[in-house]
Amino acid sequence: MIKHQPFMIKGIQIYAEDYTYEKGYIKVVDGFIKEVGDVKELSSIDSLNFDEVFIPDGCSLLPGMIDIHIHGAAGTDTMDATFEAIEKMANALPHEGTTSFLATTMTQSEQAIEDALKNVTNYMKQSEGNGQAEVLGIHLEGPFINEKRNGAQPAEYITEPSLDLFKKWQEVAEGNIKLVTLAPERPGGIDLVKYLKETNVVASIGHSDATYEEVNTAILAGASHVTHLFNGMNSLHHRKPGVPGAALLRDELYVEIIADGIHVCPEMMDLAYRLKTKNKLILITDSIRAKGLTEGTYELGGQQVTVTETGATLENGTLAGSVVKMSDALQNFKKVTSCSMRDLIDMTSVNPAKQLNLFDRKGSIAEGKDADLVVMNKDLEVVFTYCRGKLAYKKGENRT
């Protein structure tokens, strides 16, 4: 970690881990939070060695957001398998308040997935992390999924869940696969779920046609997550609750929501919020390389994707990821639910950090944690983003 001049922000509303300071202060040293408290308790003598950052009136300080499901942004994709692709993503994401993420793969050939895993791992070892969103690991989405619910995942590369293949890939990734989306109802699915649980990898049910009973079996085996709720799964039926019914009813499961207003309608977002509450919801983007670019035609897993104002779709009309930003997802979710700012922080920072077992250093504003910080104005627009104490984005400046 490159050392930087200690700095301080004061006189701002701060959503700290256990308390909201209406006029608080925060001190950052060498990329970590040194102190946080009420500005009335701030010692002028102790503050002499800190550069003061001036923040516009009416802003609030939040913990950096964590996107655990993102394929690409700024013209690049995890499957590009190049250092430059991951670096572009890491540079672009602070613009939307994202300070760390899981680089997400998709269903492709074994070699293409292996190349992507090697590349992300090499990036994690080589990146200096100087003012960029941090890659926390890899989300392996597919190829262990159900062809009936493949969505934009290329069907020709789908394979049955394989313990041997996963072990090989995890070795290639040097243990950096942190979350796996799979269909537990497929042959070998439950065995893989058990192994993931044993090795502290999050087993997520997704692109699945599982029955309610099969989801319950997967939970007993160790599944604790559901990939993009309502998308890539069977429908909620009054006699066949399926994956969404189990996701909503079983407290053991965290659920992801793509809050772009396209993948899930407002009423279903509100339903998920009321049933799962802030404690078990995680907002994601599931974004593709087209995020941050103009409308047009792009590539996703060797497929042509058309991006318009109504979303990203394959030639057959199937939704193919999103172009939503985390800051927009936060705004969208707030508009359609009764959630508070604290709830939004849980869904964008606290919950993903806890699910990845990283809450000791990520996900909240507390002394000793990484200084992943986002300053938002009253309209919930990102004004400043700090990644591990380094300014990564300032509104009005282009830092990509």
Side-chain angles (χ1 to χ4, degrees):
M1 176 65 69
I2 299 174
K3 293 191 175 184
H4 302 285
Q5 174 64 25
F7 71 89
M8 173 178 61
I9 298 172
K10 67 178 183 179
I12 185 176
Q13 184 182 47
I14 298 178
Y15 286 93
E17 182 172 312
D18 297 317
Y19 189 78
T20 302
Y21 298 96
E22 292 306 320
K23 285 190 177 296
Y25 76 91
I26 186 169
K27 292 180 178 180
V28 174
V29 178
D30 293 338
F32 299 97
I33 298 169
K34 178 71 173 179
E35 288 180 26
V36 59
D38 193 297
V39 73
K40 291 184 292 187
E41 301 169 355
L42 181 61
S43 167
S44 57
I45 296 176
D46 293 339
S47 302
L48 291 177
N49 295 324
F50 289 82
D51 289 342
E52 184 174 347
V53 178
F54 292 94
I55 303 296
D57 292 338
C59 290
S60 299
L61 187 68
L62 288 64
M65 292 186 275
I66 303 171
D67 193 350
I68 63 172
H69 191 156
I70 172 174
H71 296 277
T76 65
D77 188 286
T78 301
M79 297 305 295
D80 292 347
T82 66
F83 186 95
E84 293 74 22
I86 306 302
E87 187 167 57
K88 268 197 171 184
M89 290 170 63
N91 281 329
L93 295 183
H95 292 215
E96 58 195 77
T98 296
T99 55
S100 55
F101 65 103
L102 290 183
T104 305
T105 62
M106 70 178 300
T107 301
Q108 279 288 292
S109 68
E110 290 185 23
Q111 188 60 55
I113 291 173
E114 189 168 317
D115 290 345
L117 298 177
K118 286 180 180 177
N119 180 64
V120 175
T121 299
N122 288 336
Y123 177 87
M124 292 175 68
K125 291 191 291 186
Q126 296 174 29
S127 174
E128 293 181 347
N130 190 24
Q132 300 170 317
E134 180 180 357
V135 181
L136 300 173
I138 298 160
H139 175 169
L140 186 77
E141 186 180 17
F144 307 131
I145 59 176
N146 194 318
E147 187 175 347
K148 291 182 181 178
R149 305 295 173 183
N150 66 303
Q153 304 279 333
E156 62 266 33
Y157 296 116
I158 292 173
T159 185
E160 303 291 18
S162 167
L163 202 53
D164 289 340
L165 185 54
F166 175 76
K167 288 179 178 179
K168 175 187 174 184
W169 282 343
Q170 186 67 296
E171 184 176 354
V172 166
E174 299 181 24
N176 284 313
I177 300 175
K178 303 299 182 183
L179 189 153
V180 176
T181 292
L182 77 159
E185 73 276 12
R186 300 304 300 161
I190 294 300
D191 287 340
L192 181 52
V193 169
K194 289 178 180 177
Y195 181 76
L196 295 174
K197 174 67 174 178
E198 290 169 1
T199 55
N200 297 313
V201 178
V202 178
S204 183
I205 301 166
H207 292 284
S208 167
D209 199 47
T211 64
Y212 185 87
E213 292 74 21
E214 287 170 332
V215 173
N216 286 340
T217 299
I219 292 171
L220 290 173
S224 63
H225 199 89
V226 172
T227 296
H228 45 49
L229 179 63
F230 303 125
N231 301 116
M233 60 186 62
N234 41 28
S235 298
L236 184 63
H237 187 276
H238 58 285
R239 289 192 300 273
K240 298 178 181 178
V243 178
L248 293 170
L249 289 174
R250 294 300 301 265
D251 292 338
E252 297 92 337
L253 298 173
Y254 280 95
V255 302
E256 301 173 354
I257 287 277
I258 307 172
D260 61 352
I262 298 168
H263 280 78
V264 183
C265 73
E267 293 80 7
M268 293 304 277
M269 282 195 276
D270 192 32
L271 175 68
Y273 171 69
R274 294 188 193 198
L275 290 179
K276 297 301 293 185
T277 77
K278 68 181 182 68
N279 298 316
K280 288 293 180 174
L281 268 172
I282 296 176
L283 300 188
I284 61 162
T285 66
D286 194 16
S287 67
I288 60 176
R289 71 172 74 245
K291 177 162 70 172
L293 305 181
T294 58
E295 295 180 8
T297 301
Y298 299 89
E299 181 270 344
L300 178 68
Q303 305 164 105
Q304 181 175 298
V305 177
T306 300
V307 177
T308 67
E309 62 179 12
T310 57
T313 57
L314 301 179
E315 289 181 306
N316 64 5
T318 300
L319 287 172
S322 86
V323 292
V324 73
K325 299 175 181 177
M326 279 292 281
S327 52
D328 292 335
L330 182 148
Q331 293 173 27
N332 292 340
F333 204 82
K334 184 170 178 59
K335 287 177 184 175
V336 301
T337 68
S338 59
C339 70
S340 66
M341 195 66 235
R342 277 284 176 189
D343 293 349
L344 290 169
I345 290 170
D346 281 354
M347 292 184 280
T348 58
S349 302
V350 175
N351 294 345
K354 287 183 175 180
Q355 180 66 311
L356 296 177
N357 198 28
L358 292 172
F359 195 61
D360 59 325
R361 70 181 185 95
K362 300 282 188 186
S364 69
I365 296 176
E367 291 179 11
K369 288 195 172 186
D370 291 351
D372 290 343
L373 308 168
V374 178
V375 176
M376 283 188 158
N377 63 22
K378 58 182 177 58
D379 296 320
L380 300 183
E381 298 170 330
V382 177
V383 180
F384 293 94
T385 302
Y386 290 88
C387 295
R388 287 169 287 175
K390 174 67 176 176
L391 181 65
Y393 171 73
K394 181 178 180 181
K395 190 176 181 181
E397 293 185 5
N398 186 0
R399 292 175 173 261
T400 55

